[in-house]
Amino acid sequence: MKCDPTLYRASTPALAVKPRLIRHFFLPPLIILLMLGLGYAAYLVSERIGIRTLSETGERQLELHARGVESEISKYTYLPSLLELEDNVSKLLTEPDGEHRQAVNTYLEGLNRRSRSRAIYVLDTTGRVQASSNWRDNDSYLGEDLSFRAYFQDAVRGLPGRFYGIGSTTGEPGYYLAHGLEERGKIIGVAVIKVRMEALEERWQRARLEAFVSDENGIIILSSDPARRLKSVAPLTPDVKERLARSLQYYWWPLNELQPLARERLGENVEKLTFPAMDNSEREVSYLAQTRGLSDTPWHFTLLTPLQDLRHEAITQGVLMGVAFALLAILLIAWNERRKVIATRLAAREALEEANSQLERKITDRTADLRASNERLKGQIRERRQAEETLRRAQDELVQAGKLAAIGQMSTSIAHELNQPLAALRTLSGNTVRFLERGALDTASTNLRTMNELIDRMGRITASLRSFARRGDDRGEASLAKAVDATLQVLGTRLENSNLRLHRDFSDQKLAIDQTRLEQILVNLIGNALDAMQAQPQPELWLEGERTDDKYRLRVRDNGHGIDSEARKHLFEPFFTTKPGEQGLGLGLTLSASLAAAAGGSLSVEHPASGGTAFTLSLPLLDAPSQPAEPI
Ligand code: ADP
């Protein structure tokens, strides 16, 4: 079963190729780009979420540790004010003498030991140290003028003196808390306590906490990482730097800026800071920096939470997201391809089914057409058979009518033909009577013989005409071989007298004609041939058979004198003869042609160039199977 190829024709090649090209060339880079983009987005989101979570936990840590710093500072706040209660202190400040100084020195020494502070000392209103806990040490503050210190300047004015600085005598950093000592509403001196905060730093380091405390100038005064100590968290102008240098607050430290590689503000007091790694490698370390002001001081506590783990996690998330997207994309592409394959198969199946149904429809239509035309043909065949029957009947009638008409036409000739022998008979009979009377018996018997011959001739004429006029059975059955044999027998005497060479080249056939009629035709044709070859020293006769469709043609050819052109025109006319005297009636060919036509055949003549004459008798075959042509 063949299908209509047009059914499978999809879109035009140009249209079909374009999307495929786009898919092949643009899809992979697009997927890679999307994968990278999504991976990066996932990385950013994960980092953001991580930072938020970290900042929430960092907030608590910040609070906790800031409180720790505050309590560490506040622990000492009350100490300088305690000295107001000490009589010796106020006596020393109002009436400075050696006795009071010694008493205060001893007192301060004991107090300092108990409070675990670095030093406690008392200054008069001019800023000179009158007594100190470290009076025994070589680098004792005793007698030093510290009026330039800011904490003294604040405290002498009745304000709380808070100060971080590096000691000008010891060069040691410390936190100074100063308090103006009052007596009867008047400030008579300043009590100062210096504390060290290293304990805090050590605690941070032990807890692996990264944090620092920056003072009012933005200088880091406490740091878990010593490298960050005494660096400024914000850029310092040259003026500020000079002022700070002059105050000797930080001794001679250069106060470099703590410069992060990158700084990103994430919120109120929350920043992302990136520093070079401590090991001086190329690596960078990022921190979440959360800052909070410390109460009672202008200082700020900053907690640094490393973002390294977070970053690793964000990278992992990004990679996972990229890989997940790639997998999803591959799955989608595979699914899409499979869907297309299924769709193509379905389309092909549908097309095939459609083609099949179209074919079936066409077959049904054509079968119906064929049936209709078959019916029509059957009808036409019936009609033709009827027409043939009618025609045959009409033909028979016509032949009969023609024969009768010919007889009518011939009647004059017949009368003439018969009148001649009748006249001769009359003369001969009269003569014979006279010869008998005279006794001339020989002559009389000769006349009688002639008269017999004339009567025979007249009989032959009438017999021929009777057979011509008779409505015979035109559709008999004849054997060709038998007919030829019978003919040769009839003409036996003449054949014996002639020196004839007979060529039999035909096969026996059953022909649709009456056997006698066929013999009659053959007697006429072969007889004529023998007549024509009378003068021929080597007479030859060919009987050649040939089968054509539903007819059999027998060619009767001789090497006689042939027929001249004038005679050819009248051959089949009744009573036309070239034979002398009594020999020819001129009815043989006319009758033969008529008999052949009545049987549905024909008789025709040819004039071979080699000489002689050939008559072809064509007669319908009975539906006998064809037999191989064997010479008989
Ligand atoms: P008939 O034989 O009585 O003459 P036909 O009708 O048989 O009448 O023949 C008519 C004429 O046709 C003959 O007289 C003869 O001249 C010519 N004819 C017929 N057969 C042959 C033949 N085989 N060869 C030459 N002439 C022929």
Side-chain angles (χ1 to χ4, degrees):
M1 196 178 284
K2 269 173 104 180
C3 300
D4 188 352
T6 53
L7 290 169
Y8 298 103
R9 202 179 299 145
S11 52
T12 58
L15 285 175
V17 165
K18 241 183 176 177
R20 198 174 300 163
L21 267 180
I22 292 170
R23 249 198 337 265
H24 281 160
F25 288 102
F26 293 103
L27 204 56
L30 188 71
I31 289 174
I32 290 170
L33 272 178
L34 277 172
M35 196 177 94
L36 293 176
L38 273 173
Y40 185 62
Y43 163 77
L44 287 180
V45 170
S46 168
E47 193 189 36
R48 289 280 146 192
I49 293 170
I51 285 174
R52 198 179 308 147
T53 317
L54 265 190
S55 61
E56 277 165 17
T57 41
E59 201 72 42
R60 288 193 289 277
Q61 291 267 327
L62 179 75
E63 193 59 32
L64 188 73
H65 291 286
R67 288 263 169 91
V69 177
E70 281 168 356
S71 70
E72 189 68 28
I73 295 167
S74 61
K75 196 161 77 174
Y76 298 100
T77 340
Y78 68 95
L79 253 178
S81 57
L82 273 182
L83 298 183
E84 270 180 359
L85 305 172
E86 188 55 44
D87 275 352
N88 284 332
V89 173
S90 53
K91 281 179 185 159
L92 175 67
L93 291 174
T94 47
E95 297 165 31
D97 64 9
E99 193 185 335
H100 287 128
R101 180 169 293 115
Q102 193 48 48
V104 174
N105 279 344
T106 315
Y107 171 71
L108 291 179
E109 190 179 23
L111 188 63
N112 184 50
R113 197 171 50 247
R114 280 192 300 279
S115 65
R116 294 190 188 174
S117 55
R118 198 69 196 150
I120 305 174
Y121 47 97
V122 176
L123 295 91
D124 60 19
T125 49
T126 62
R128 195 163 294 276
V129 180
Q130 291 298 328
S132 173
S133 61
N134 59 359
W135 59 277
R136 289 179 201 273
D137 300 348
N138 290 337
D139 53 355
S140 168
Y141 304 143
L142 272 177
E144 257 188 64
D145 181 6
L146 298 176
S147 58
F148 66 94
R149 289 291 196 189
Y151 59 81
F152 167 76
Q153 288 163 9
D154 287 341
V156 87
R157 280 186 278 134
L159 300 170
R162 300 278 184 273
F163 179 80
Y164 177 87
I166 298 172
S168 54
T169 316
T170 59
E172 196 180 62
Y175 178 44
Y176 298 84
L177 294 105
H179 178 77
L181 299 169
E182 286 181 31
E183 195 180 60
R184 284 188 286 276
K186 191 182 161 220
I187 288 176
I188 54 166
V190 171
V192 183
I193 179 166
K194 178 183 179 182
V195 290
R196 299 250 358 226
M197 301 277 212
E198 281 82 358
L200 268 178
E201 291 179 331
E202 282 160 19
R203 215 184 300 156
W204 293 342
Q205 281 163 3
R206 273 202 303 279
R208 296 187 181 282
L209 190 80
E210 294 213 47
F212 61 79
V213 173
S214 52
D215 69 4
E216 66 279 8
N217 296 315
I219 306 296
I220 295 172
I221 51 173
L222 293 172
S223 171
S224 56
D225 179 4
R228 293 193 195 111
R229 212 176 285 145
L230 291 171
K231 293 213 165 127
S232 70
V233 292
L236 298 175
T237 60
D239 290 350
V240 175
K241 263 191 176 172
E242 200 188 322
R243 180 173 59 78
L244 293 177
R246 232 181 292 126
S247 74
L248 284 179
Q249 185 174 353
Y250 308 103
Y251 209 50
W252 297 109
W253 280 86
L255 302 178
N256 290 330
E257 191 188 340
L258 178 73
Q259 272 182 323
L261 293 171
R263 181 190 288 269
E264 187 186 345
R265 207 180 126 78
L266 301 174
E268 186 71 19
N269 293 327
V270 184
E271 281 181 315
K272 185 180 156 189
L273 300 177
T274 307
F275 295 110
M278 302 292 285
D279 51 9
N280 281 339
S281 66
E282 291 287 297
R283 279 191 316 118
E284 295 174 0
V285 188
S286 293
Y287 293 98
L288 178 73
Q290 290 169 285
T291 305
R292 170 192 183 286
L294 295 171
S295 55
D296 290 337
T297 61
W299 299 355
H300 286 90
F301 175 75
T302 301
L303 179 71
L304 295 173
T305 313
L307 293 175
Q308 207 169 349
D309 293 346
L310 181 79
R311 205 166 167 211
H312 285 154
E313 202 176 320
I315 288 171
T316 311
Q317 299 276 359
V319 170
L320 278 178
M321 175 56 95
V323 170
F325 173 76
L327 277 175
L328 187 72
I330 289 166
L331 276 176
L332 276 174
I333 288 168
W335 173 79
N336 193 37
E337 288 300 321
R338 189 172 157 63
R339 188 185 59 77
K340 274 194 274 183
V341 167
I342 290 170
T344 315
R345 272 194 209 147
L346 277 178
R349 194 185 297 165
E350 273 173 23
L352 198 65
E353 280 170 6
E354 176 62 27
N356 278 346
S357 62
Q358 271 190 14
L359 203 64
E360 274 166 20
R361 269 202 301 280
K362 275 184 189 167
I363 288 169
T364 316
D365 291 352
R366 285 194 187 155
T367 311
D369 288 352
L370 279 174
R371 266 203 203 110
S373 58
N374 202 19
E375 285 303 315
R376 267 201 309 281
L377 276 176
K378 276 185 186 165
Q380 282 176 1
I381 288 169
R382 266 197 307 278
E383 281 170 17
R384 283 210 185 135
R385 275 197 186 137
Q386 281 171 1
E388 262 176 34
E389 187 59 32
T390 316
L391 196 65
R392 205 172 55 77
R393 273 203 299 274
Q395 217 173 19
D396 287 352
E397 296 298 329
L398 272 175
V399 168
Q400 190 59 22
K403 280 197 264 183
L404 293 176
I407 287 170
Q409 276 177 359
M410 285 190 289
S411 57
T412 321
S413 316
I414 293 164
H416 174 68
E417 288 294 318
L418 291 178
N419 277 344
Q420 267 187 334
L422 275 176
L425 276 176
R426 200 180 300 122
T427 313
L428 279 171
S429 65
N431 287 348
T432 309
V433 171
R434 276 194 294 274
F435 285 132
L436 282 173
E437 284 169 356
R438 278 186 221 153
L441 292 173
D442 288 346
T443 316
S445 69
T446 310
N447 275 3
L448 281 172
R449 268 198 299 277
T450 311
M451 282 166 70
N452 271 344
E453 281 172 11
L454 285 171
I455 289 163
D456 280 352
R457 179 179 162 82
M458 287 166 72
R460 281 206 314 274
I461 290 171
T462 50
S464 295
L465 286 172
R466 200 170 59 244
S467 84
F468 180 69
R470 191 176 64 218
R471 184 193 285 270
D473 184 7
D474 297 327
R475 304 226 175 266
E477 182 182 324
S479 158
L480 181 60
K482 273 188 195 165
V484 170
D485 290 342
T487 305
L488 294 177
Q489 213 172 6
V490 170
L491 299 170
T493 329
R494 291 182 64 189
L495 286 170
E496 280 164 19
N497 295 337
S498 68
N499 188 22
L500 182 74
R501 255 183 90 188
L502 181 63
H503 303 274
R504 297 169 65 126
D505 189 14
F506 63 92
S507 60
D508 189 15
Q509 299 288 337
K510 292 275 177 226
L511 303 173
I513 189 168
D514 185 67
Q515 182 77 35
T516 324
R517 291 191 172 192
L518 179 58
E519 287 170 13
Q520 208 175 340
I521 294 169
L522 289 176
V523 166
N524 280 334
L525 295 179
I526 296 172
N528 280 345
L530 290 174
D531 287 342
M533 293 186 292
Q534 265 176 354
Q536 178 62 253
Q538 273 294 317
E540 278 188 81
L541 184 70
W542 290 268
L543 298 176
E544 297 156 331
E546 184 193 4
R547 192 188 166 107
T548 57
D549 293 337
D550 57 342
K551 295 226 168 58
Y552 196 80
R553 289 153 61 128
L554 182 73
R555 206 156 171 255
V556 182
R557 182 160 68 89
D558 61 55
N559 62 345
H561 53 63
I563 303 167
D564 61 48
S565 58
E566 188 53 37
R568 285 175 192 176
K569 295 178 195 164
H570 309 288
L571 270 186
F572 292 96
E573 287 175 9
F575 301 110
F576 171 75
T577 181
T578 57
K579 291 172 190 170
E582 304 287 302
Q583 283 180 26
L585 280 177
L587 287 172
L589 289 179
T590 317
L591 266 171
S592 298
S594 163
L595 292 173
S602 64
L603 180 67
S604 59
V605 65
E606 288 167 56
H607 309 284
S610 54
T613 311
F615 280 93
T616 303
L617 174 65
S618 177
L619 287 170
L621 282 161
L622 274 178
D623 47 358
S626 65
Q627 292 175 8
E630 293 169 7
I632 297 169

